[in-house]
Amino acid sequence: MLYLASQSPRRRQLLEQIGVDFSVLDVDVPEQRMLGESPQDYVSRVARDKARAGLASLDQANQSQANDAIVLGADTEVVLDDEVFGKPQDADDAAAMLRHLSGRTHAVISVVWLASAAREECVVCISQVRFAPLDESTVATYVATGEPFGKAGAYAIQGRGAALVEHLQGSYSGVMGLPVFETARLLRDFNAAAA
């Protein structure tokens, strides 16, 4: 049985899109970058911690359930100049992030970990996103929609944020939060793909 260790509606939607049966687990994992930790190592650690926390919660609830479980943990962050842009704390923080990303190319790192009682494996997907130059009016209007909140880098490529993106090289679904191609391949490797 596959479990998704995430409350993200986007990740649920993307897994449903590829026809995978799964249940959702609510895990609480600190998302704090360690001193000297590279952005990719940070994203990978958080995703792995989510998968492990999900597996541990099943283990506590029902040992036999945990033995057959595969838990998917994922994390996605926006990175520019070695700085990780997580979810904005408020409107001012969101506006500051968008100004920083304006007219520049940033990386979106998505890491997916699968964990079972027997093994762990991951895939990494890095996409390059270039924002058009954004004037203050554009930034303020977008922040006022409320869409930037709860989104890494303060934008949602699947929503109104698409209008900010001048160019994308890589995985659209990876920028959304779950790289579908890479995730489907990883699930096949674990014999957890859709029938």
mmCIF file of all heavy atoms in Angstrom, residues 5 15 23-24 44 50 62 64 71 73 75 99 114 122-123 139 150 161 164 167 171 176:
data_model
loop_
_atom_site.group_PDB
_atom_site.id
_atom_site.type_symbol
_atom_site.label_atom_id
_atom_site.label_comp_id
_atom_site.label_asym_id
_atom_site.label_seq_id
_atom_site.Cartn_x
_atom_site.Cartn_y
_atom_site.Cartn_z
ATOM 1 N N ALA A 5 3.105 11.073 2.391
ATOM 2 C CA ALA A 5 3.371 11.801 3.638
ATOM 3 C C ALA A 5 3.380 13.299 3.339
ATOM 4 O O ALA A 5 4.413 13.958 3.362
ATOM 5 C CB ALA A 5 4.694 11.349 4.241
ATOM 6 N N LEU A 15 -0.496 12.686 -8.080
ATOM 7 C CA LEU A 15 -0.506 11.226 -7.942
ATOM 8 C C LEU A 15 -1.782 10.633 -8.525
ATOM 9 O O LEU A 15 -1.747 9.596 -9.196
ATOM 10 C CB LEU A 15 -0.376 10.818 -6.468
ATOM 11 C CG LEU A 15 1.025 10.715 -5.894
ATOM 12 C CD1 LEU A 15 0.964 10.304 -4.426
ATOM 13 C CD2 LEU A 15 1.894 9.746 -6.674
ATOM 14 N N SER A 23 -3.059 6.457 0.237
ATOM 15 C CA SER A 23 -3.685 7.110 1.381
ATOM 16 C C SER A 23 -2.748 8.221 1.837
ATOM 17 O O SER A 23 -1.543 8.173 1.588
ATOM 18 C CB SER A 23 -3.898 6.115 2.520
ATOM 19 O OG SER A 23 -4.831 5.139 2.128
ATOM 20 N N VAL A 24 -3.306 9.200 2.532
ATOM 21 C CA VAL A 24 -2.527 10.364 2.966
ATOM 22 C C VAL A 24 -2.202 10.246 4.444
ATOM 23 O O VAL A 24 -3.051 9.879 5.257
ATOM 24 C CB VAL A 24 -3.301 11.672 2.684
ATOM 25 C CG1 VAL A 24 -2.544 12.879 3.212
ATOM 26 C CG2 VAL A 24 -3.565 11.821 1.187
ATOM 27 N N SER A 44 16.528 17.239 -0.099
ATOM 28 C CA SER A 44 16.527 15.784 -0.024
ATOM 29 C C SER A 44 16.321 15.306 1.412
ATOM 30 O O SER A 44 15.537 14.371 1.656
ATOM 31 C CB SER A 44 17.845 15.235 -0.574
ATOM 32 O OG SER A 44 17.830 13.828 -0.568
ATOM 33 N N LYS A 50 10.312 13.212 5.796
ATOM 34 C CA LYS A 50 8.858 13.054 5.682
ATOM 35 C C LYS A 50 8.497 11.587 5.447
ATOM 36 O O LYS A 50 7.571 11.053 6.075
ATOM 37 C CB LYS A 50 8.306 13.921 4.545
ATOM 38 C CG LYS A 50 8.322 15.409 4.831
ATOM 39 C CD LYS A 50 7.840 16.194 3.618
ATOM 40 C CE LYS A 50 7.896 17.692 3.836
ATOM 41 N NZ LYS A 50 7.462 18.441 2.624
ATOM 42 N N ASN A 62 0.259 0.197 13.448
ATOM 43 C CA ASN A 62 -0.036 -1.185 13.079
ATOM 44 C C ASN A 62 1.186 -1.802 12.409
ATOM 45 O O ASN A 62 1.493 -1.487 11.259
ATOM 46 C CB ASN A 62 -1.243 -1.201 12.128
ATOM 47 C CG ASN A 62 -1.671 -2.601 11.744
ATOM 48 O OD1 ASN A 62 -0.895 -3.550 11.833
ATOM 49 N ND2 ASN A 62 -2.915 -2.728 11.320
ATOM 50 N N SER A 64 1.878 -4.761 11.123
ATOM 51 C CA SER A 64 1.683 -5.507 9.881
ATOM 52 C C SER A 64 1.402 -4.556 8.716
ATOM 53 O O SER A 64 1.814 -4.806 7.587
ATOM 54 C CB SER A 64 0.554 -6.521 10.016
ATOM 55 O OG SER A 64 -0.672 -5.859 10.253
ATOM 56 N N VAL A 71 6.051 4.530 1.676
ATOM 57 C CA VAL A 71 5.693 5.910 1.984
ATOM 58 C C VAL A 71 6.473 6.853 1.073
ATOM 59 O O VAL A 71 7.692 6.740 0.938
ATOM 60 C CB VAL A 71 5.964 6.260 3.458
ATOM 61 C CG1 VAL A 71 5.580 7.709 3.749
ATOM 62 C CG2 VAL A 71 5.186 5.316 4.376
ATOM 63 N N GLY A 73 7.652 10.609 0.400
ATOM 64 C CA GLY A 73 7.903 11.928 0.972
ATOM 65 C C GLY A 73 8.517 12.801 -0.100
ATOM 66 O O GLY A 73 9.366 12.345 -0.859
ATOM 67 N N ASP A 75 9.743 17.053 -1.221
ATOM 68 C CA ASP A 75 9.921 18.454 -0.874
ATOM 69 C C ASP A 75 10.347 19.197 -2.129
ATOM 70 O O ASP A 75 11.034 18.645 -2.990
ATOM 71 C CB ASP A 75 10.956 18.630 0.233
ATOM 72 C CG ASP A 75 10.928 20.041 0.814
ATOM 73 O OD1 ASP A 75 9.822 20.567 1.051
ATOM 74 O OD2 ASP A 75 12.010 20.626 1.018
ATOM 75 N N ARG A 99 10.253 40.117 -5.816
ATOM 76 C CA ARG A 99 11.177 41.149 -6.312
ATOM 77 C C ARG A 99 12.561 40.554 -6.553
ATOM 78 O O ARG A 99 13.235 40.890 -7.515
ATOM 79 C CB ARG A 99 11.292 42.298 -5.310
ATOM 80 C CG ARG A 99 10.106 43.233 -5.307
ATOM 81 C CD ARG A 99 10.384 44.457 -4.422
ATOM 82 N NE ARG A 99 9.137 44.944 -3.882
ATOM 83 C CZ ARG A 99 8.689 44.740 -2.645
ATOM 84 N NH1 ARG A 99 9.414 44.070 -1.770
ATOM 85 N NH2 ARG A 99 7.517 45.216 -2.284
ATOM 86 N N LEU A 114 11.043 7.393 -1.586
ATOM 87 C CA LEU A 114 10.154 6.294 -1.225
ATOM 88 C C LEU A 114 10.859 5.492 -0.132
ATOM 89 O O LEU A 114 12.051 5.203 -0.246
ATOM 90 C CB LEU A 114 9.872 5.379 -2.417
ATOM 91 C CG LEU A 114 8.959 5.915 -3.521
ATOM 92 C CD1 LEU A 114 8.707 4.827 -4.554
ATOM 93 C CD2 LEU A 114 7.642 6.432 -2.966
ATOM 94 N N CYS A 122 15.527 7.479 -3.856
ATOM 95 C CA CYS A 122 15.036 8.817 -4.190
ATOM 96 C C CYS A 122 15.309 9.177 -5.638
ATOM 97 O O CYS A 122 16.134 8.550 -6.313
ATOM 98 C CB CYS A 122 15.643 9.872 -3.272
ATOM 99 S SG CYS A 122 17.308 10.399 -3.709
ATOM 100 N N VAL A 123 14.597 10.190 -6.099
ATOM 101 C CA VAL A 123 14.872 10.843 -7.377
ATOM 102 C C VAL A 123 14.933 12.344 -7.121
ATOM 103 O O VAL A 123 14.259 12.866 -6.236
ATOM 104 C CB VAL A 123 13.807 10.548 -8.461
ATOM 105 C CG1 VAL A 123 13.878 9.111 -8.928
ATOM 106 C CG2 VAL A 123 12.415 10.909 -7.997
ATOM 107 N N VAL A 139 3.711 42.826 -8.747
ATOM 108 C CA VAL A 139 4.009 42.127 -7.493
ATOM 109 C C VAL A 139 2.857 42.308 -6.508
ATOM 110 O O VAL A 139 2.347 41.339 -5.937
ATOM 111 C CB VAL A 139 5.343 42.627 -6.890
ATOM 112 C CG1 VAL A 139 5.526 42.109 -5.462
ATOM 113 C CG2 VAL A 139 6.525 42.208 -7.767
ATOM 114 N N GLY A 150 1.922 29.700 1.276
ATOM 115 C CA GLY A 150 2.018 28.245 1.300
ATOM 116 C C GLY A 150 2.752 27.683 0.097
ATOM 117 O O GLY A 150 2.773 26.473 -0.107
ATOM 118 N N GLY A 161 0.331 32.512 -11.020
ATOM 119 C CA GLY A 161 1.786 32.670 -11.082
ATOM 120 C C GLY A 161 2.376 32.304 -12.431
ATOM 121 O O GLY A 161 3.490 32.714 -12.761
ATOM 122 N N LEU A 164 3.850 35.012 -14.510
ATOM 123 C CA LEU A 164 5.146 35.593 -14.134
ATOM 124 C C LEU A 164 6.306 34.874 -14.815
ATOM 125 O O LEU A 164 7.410 35.396 -14.884
ATOM 126 C CB LEU A 164 5.342 35.504 -12.610
ATOM 127 C CG LEU A 164 4.194 35.983 -11.720
ATOM 128 C CD1 LEU A 164 4.546 35.747 -10.255
ATOM 129 C CD2 LEU A 164 3.873 37.439 -11.983
ATOM 130 N N HIS A 167 10.080 31.654 -18.935
ATOM 131 C CA HIS A 167 10.642 30.447 -19.544
ATOM 132 C C HIS A 167 10.795 29.357 -18.487
ATOM 133 O O HIS A 167 11.167 29.633 -17.352
ATOM 134 C CB HIS A 167 12.013 30.754 -20.161
ATOM 135 C CG HIS A 167 12.626 29.589 -20.864
ATOM 136 N ND1 HIS A 167 12.188 29.144 -22.088
ATOM 137 C CD2 HIS A 167 13.629 28.754 -20.499
ATOM 138 C CE1 HIS A 167 12.918 28.098 -22.451
ATOM 139 N NE2 HIS A 167 13.791 27.842 -21.512
ATOM 140 N N SER A 171 10.815 20.248 -15.545
ATOM 141 C CA SER A 171 9.547 19.581 -15.259
ATOM 142 C C SER A 171 8.512 20.555 -14.697
ATOM 143 O O SER A 171 8.689 21.086 -13.607
ATOM 144 C CB SER A 171 9.791 18.456 -14.247
ATOM 145 O OG SER A 171 8.570 17.947 -13.765
ATOM 146 N N MET A 176 5.521 22.326 -9.660
ATOM 147 C CA MET A 176 4.284 22.271 -8.861
ATOM 148 C C MET A 176 4.508 21.582 -7.517
ATOM 149 O O MET A 176 3.799 21.852 -6.558
ATOM 150 C CB MET A 176 3.192 21.513 -9.617
ATOM 151 C CG MET A 176 2.469 22.309 -10.655
ATOM 152 S SD MET A 176 1.223 21.319 -11.526
ATOM 153 C CE MET A 176 0.009 21.019 -10.246
#
